[in-house]
Amino acid sequence: MTDSRYQVAIVGGGIVGLAVALEITRRFPRVRLVLLEKEDRVGRHQSGHNSGVIHSGVYYKPGSLKAKLCVAGAAAMVEFCREHGIPHQVCGKVIVATHEEEFPRLEELRRRGEANGLTGLRSIGPEQLREIEPHASGLRALVVPSTGITDYAAVCDRYAEIITAEGGTILTSTAVIGLKRGADEIVVETNQGTFLATSLINCAGLFSDRISRMAGDDPQVMIVPFRGEYYDLIPSRSSLVRALIYPVPDPRFPFLGVHFTRRVNGSVDAGPNAVLAFRREGYRRTDFNLSDLGSSLAFPGFWRMALKNWRSGLAEFHRSFSKPAFVHALQRLIPEVREEDLVPGGSGVRAQALTRQGALADDFQFVPSDRMLHVLNVPSPAATASLVIGQTIVDKGAEILGLR
């Protein structure tokens, strides 16, 4: 059994846990830090399965933590990618209204974006839309020039390299199986032995609520996993999309709707839909874990959420099993897309925090508790804003966690 002492232990080697570790090693170089990741390498789950978009901050409520951190975080991410030679492009995107009833929501997005400090936003008509995206169809669109794309798996790897070079320790294949608070230290039990830490930061993503409960805390939320499934445009049809084409989102639902995203390698994603996953790391329809599904179904907030969103949920499940239905949704944006243009792509699982009242937690949630800090809700734009999220968590946690 390994018995190692650290000042700070971080649970979770996704992009947020890595960003927190990066900030601590930079700001407090004498602090002895260990990051514990249960997989064999960092960034294996949400961080390595997302669409690679550097979000601008146009969607988020002005004054919210999401809005503040996304706008600053996007600029920081672009600068980080430039500095470290990570592939990226600031390609911009269009948000397309295909029905007149979407016009007020599109205008609200423009207002939000400007309130959040975005520049260059402009509303355009069908002719200008076709100049930007020749194959897109819509009645009106909002141009968001500051949106970009990158490779977040490469970003995670670079974060890890810097952390290690700065003296931090990253241990992979190390799953936390128990937490105990002592008088002066936290006992962290793992499958690789026991570690002692003065303080702990929980960045466990899909399992952050379980780590919180393992520590004896009540997170007040349940992490419910939603799987997003993508198709890819075949290479000969990737020219249908120049950059990013999004629909106007439905404010009643936390997801953005099916859209087109050109990646830094030139391929084009189409999707995703959003369905309940039957396993917290359930990337395939056949993935199932009785404990994961049971905990979701036993949580009272799940049923309250389901009652409010059952129609949209059924539509998402229908698209999951029906390629024609998926294609039909995509044709709202690009009418030329056909079933034969699409092949099955990747998928990702979003860790969505759900309250007991059935509300899908919208903003980031960082909850302190006796020498611990639980990062309980960091959905998109967490990757975009990761550097600034790391700074914010360390700002919040420095005094609580006794960092010097």
Side-chain angles (χ1 to χ4, degrees):
M1 177 181 288
T2 302
D3 189 346
S4 299
R5 295 177 181 272
Y6 294 89
Q7 288 169 272
V8 179
I10 297 173
V11 180
I15 199 165
V16 172
L18 290 164
V20 173
L22 180 64
E23 181 65 17
I24 290 174
T25 57
R26 285 174 164 176
R27 198 184 305 186
F28 305 102
R30 295 183 181 180
V31 166
R32 194 156 186 259
L33 174 146
V34 64
L35 184 148
L36 307 171
E37 166 55 45
K38 67 183 179 64
E39 302 294 351
D40 60 0
R41 59 184 174 84
V42 299
R44 281 291 304 274
H45 292 293
Q46 293 182 99
S47 307
H49 286 82
N50 61 45
S51 61
V53 175
I54 303 174
H55 288 285
S56 62
V58 72
Y59 296 112
Y60 313 122
K61 182 179 178 181
S64 67
L65 202 54
K66 266 188 180 183
K68 294 174 183 177
L69 300 190
C70 183
V71 175
M77 180 56 64
V78 170
E79 180 58 32
F80 183 88
C81 291
R82 285 175 180 157
E83 181 182 350
H84 295 278
I86 296 171
H88 69 287
Q89 299 172 30
V90 180
C91 55
K93 77 173 177 182
V94 288
I95 304 173
V96 180
T98 56
H99 298 94
E100 288 187 6
E101 55 264 32
E102 295 175 325
F103 289 178
R105 302 204 313 254
L106 193 66
E107 177 60 21
E108 172 63 14
L109 289 179
R110 185 193 63 78
R111 187 196 67 79
R112 282 190 173 195
E114 291 178 348
N116 290 336
L118 301 186
T119 59
L121 297 175
R122 58 192 177 98
S123 296
I124 59 174
E127 296 79 11
Q128 293 168 299
L129 172 61
R130 283 192 290 272
E131 291 174 6
I132 298 170
E133 291 286 355
H135 301 279
S137 176
L139 302 178
R140 190 176 293 177
L142 181 66
V143 178
V144 187
S146 57
T147 301
I149 51 176
T150 190
D151 179 350
Y152 285 118
V155 172
C156 286
D157 289 340
R158 186 61 184 134
Y159 284 1
E161 290 168 2
I162 297 171
I163 292 163
T164 302
E166 295 291 334
T169 299
I170 296 175
L171 299 178
T172 55
S173 301
T174 305
V176 175
I177 57 177
L179 290 172
K180 297 177 184 176
R181 283 186 173 97
D184 301 310
E185 59 195 8
I186 298 166
V187 181
V188 186
E189 299 173 353
T190 79
N191 62 335
Q192 301 294 334
T194 299
F195 300 85
L196 303 177
T198 305
S199 58
L200 181 140
I201 304 174
N202 167 18
C203 298
L206 284 156
F207 295 91
S208 57
D209 59 334
R210 290 188 181 173
I211 293 295
S212 176
R213 292 185 179 95
M214 191 183 292
D217 295 322
D218 181 0
Q220 299 293 316
V221 295
M222 173 72 70
I223 298 298
V224 177
F226 285 90
R227 182 175 62 254
E229 301 163 332
Y230 290 86
Y231 282 92
D232 292 338
L233 282 177
I234 59 176
S236 62
R237 297 289 277 170
S238 65
S239 59
L240 290 174
V241 179
R242 286 181 172 176
L244 286 75
I245 308 173
Y246 280 58
V248 179
D250 186 336
R252 298 169 300 174
F253 208 54
F255 308 106
L256 296 178
V258 293
H259 49 268
F260 293 91
T261 305
R262 179 169 288 278
R263 289 183 171 268
V264 287
N265 63 8
S267 64
V268 176
D269 289 345
N273 64 340
V275 297
L276 177 69
F278 297 149
R279 179 183 174 187
R280 292 210 179 190
E281 294 165 353
Y283 298 103
R284 300 168 298 182
R285 294 193 195 105
T286 54
D287 287 341
F288 177 84
N289 181 282
L290 183 60
S291 175
D292 289 351
L293 181 59
S295 63
S296 293
L297 298 181
F299 189 64
F302 174 83
W303 295 105
R304 294 181 178 119
M305 178 271 295
L307 284 172
K308 287 187 287 187
N309 298 287
W310 66 270
R311 284 189 177 87
S312 57
L314 283 178
E316 297 286 340
F317 265 107
H318 178 55
R319 278 207 301 266
S320 176
F321 287 92
S322 171
K323 187 176 182 181
F326 202 109
V327 173
H328 179 70
L330 292 170
Q331 286 172 336
R332 285 184 57 195
L333 298 174
I334 300 184
E336 295 173 54
V337 169
R338 299 291 181 264
E339 286 188 50
E340 57 269 25
D341 298 334
L342 299 165
V343 293
S347 65
V349 180
R350 171 175 175 155
Q352 177 63 55
L354 181 65
T355 70
R356 294 182 186 277
Q357 292 72 40
L360 298 167
D362 183 53
D363 212 353
F364 298 144
Q365 291 187 7
F366 312 138
V367 181
S369 175
D370 185 19
R371 291 171 289 147
M372 294 188 185
L373 185 63
H374 300 292
V375 180
L376 293 173
N377 195 56
V378 278
S380 179
T384 295
S386 55
L387 287 165
V388 181
I389 289 173
Q391 293 168 7
T392 302
I393 289 172
V394 176
D395 286 344
K396 188 178 185 72
E399 184 175 348
I400 296 166
L401 304 177
L403 294 174
R404 298 288 186 273

